[in-house]
Amino acid sequence: MSHRCSTLPGMSWTRGLLAALAVCVLLLTGSASCGSGDAPKQEEDASPSPVGKVLDDTDHEGRQLREVKEEDAPDVGIEVQPGAGDSWNVRLTVRNFRFTPAGAQAKAAPGRGVARLFVDDRSVTGLRTSEYRLSGRYVPHGTHQVTVRLYADDGTVWAVDGEPVESTADITASEPEPAGTANETATPATGASGTGPRTGGPGSPGPGGEAS
């Protein structure tokens, strides 16, 4: 009888110890699992976007601005000169920016995209190169503003301090003259680079190289 009594307590103690060990293993396993699951989220939240931040603000065509730091931002300047007939020669100068080729993925990439040309805030064309011949039909008699603006490939507008990256030149077209005379002013119009005041249309992604 005494032998049976001494055995039962020992068995009870052994089962209790095993149960306690099982609980400890379960807690440790669960803790490790939770920790590993949280790590990627924390790392993702801490990673800054390499292509800036899309703002709620838009340009005059309703395209959202993509804010980047000024030191990393693309920049553009514009020069407009009278061309043959009643046309105008437009030349862009870009910095920290490359024109994307036709068919490029509609995804923003640092310092890449397309330019769009406006006359008096009227969209004329998307530009994938640094030179363009502007038809005189867009420039009737009087003074006009020719603006170029830079866009990312997803259609957002590159911006600094909440303002689109763009440049504007003023040009003046005179009244039509008799045959053999010029019908526009001969003074070249040069716009300030994008580091100056910026105002705000999108172009589709396109080919081209970086202008010097």
Side-chain angles (χ1 to χ4, degrees):
M1 295 293 295
S2 60
H3 177 72
R4 292 178 183 176
C5 291
S6 61
T7 302
L8 290 175
M11 292 176 63
S12 176
W13 179 86
T14 302
R15 290 172 183 168
L17 177 61
L18 291 176
L21 290 174
V23 171
C24 291
V25 171
L26 180 62
L27 290 174
L28 290 173
T29 304
S31 176
S33 174
C34 292
S36 60
D38 291 342
K41 184 176 186 303
Q42 293 173 356
E43 182 178 353
E44 181 180 352
D45 293 343
S47 300
S49 171
V51 289
K53 178 183 179 182
V54 177
L55 307 179
D56 292 332
D57 296 337
T58 64
D59 69 357
H60 77 281
E61 289 198 332
R63 297 302 185 102
Q64 286 183 286
L65 305 185
R66 182 175 291 277
E67 179 83 14
V68 290
K69 294 181 179 179
E70 186 167 1
E71 58 267 27
D72 302 326
D75 200 4
V76 62
I78 185 172
E79 182 179 358
V80 184
Q81 295 181 337
D86 62 351
S87 68
W88 298 80
N89 296 325
V90 178
R91 186 175 187 275
L92 309 182
T93 303
V94 297
R95 180 173 61 87
N96 295 335
F97 184 79
R98 292 185 67 86
F99 296 96
T100 50
Q105 185 179 5
K107 181 180 180 181
R112 297 185 69 88
V114 65
R116 179 155 285 273
L117 193 69
F118 298 84
V119 176
D120 299 330
D121 282 341
R122 176 188 176 188
S123 180
V124 174
T125 186
L127 298 178
R128 307 175 187 277
T129 62
S130 59
E131 295 184 358
Y132 179 73
R133 184 175 179 179
L134 178 63
S135 172
R137 64 191 178 94
Y138 293 105
V139 190
H141 169 64
T143 300
H144 306 274
Q145 289 189 328
V146 181
T147 300
V148 61
R149 186 174 305 136
L150 300 183
Y151 294 80
D153 290 320
D154 63 351
T156 54
V157 186
W158 292 114
V160 175
D161 296 332
E163 296 292 338
V165 175
E166 64 180 31
S167 180
T168 298
D170 293 333
I171 61 175
T172 300
S174 62
E175 290 281 9
E177 299 288 344
T181 60
N183 67 339
E184 62 261 336
T185 57
T187 303
T190 303
S193 68
T195 55
R198 303 178 176 93
T199 56
S204 55
E210 182 178 8
S212 59

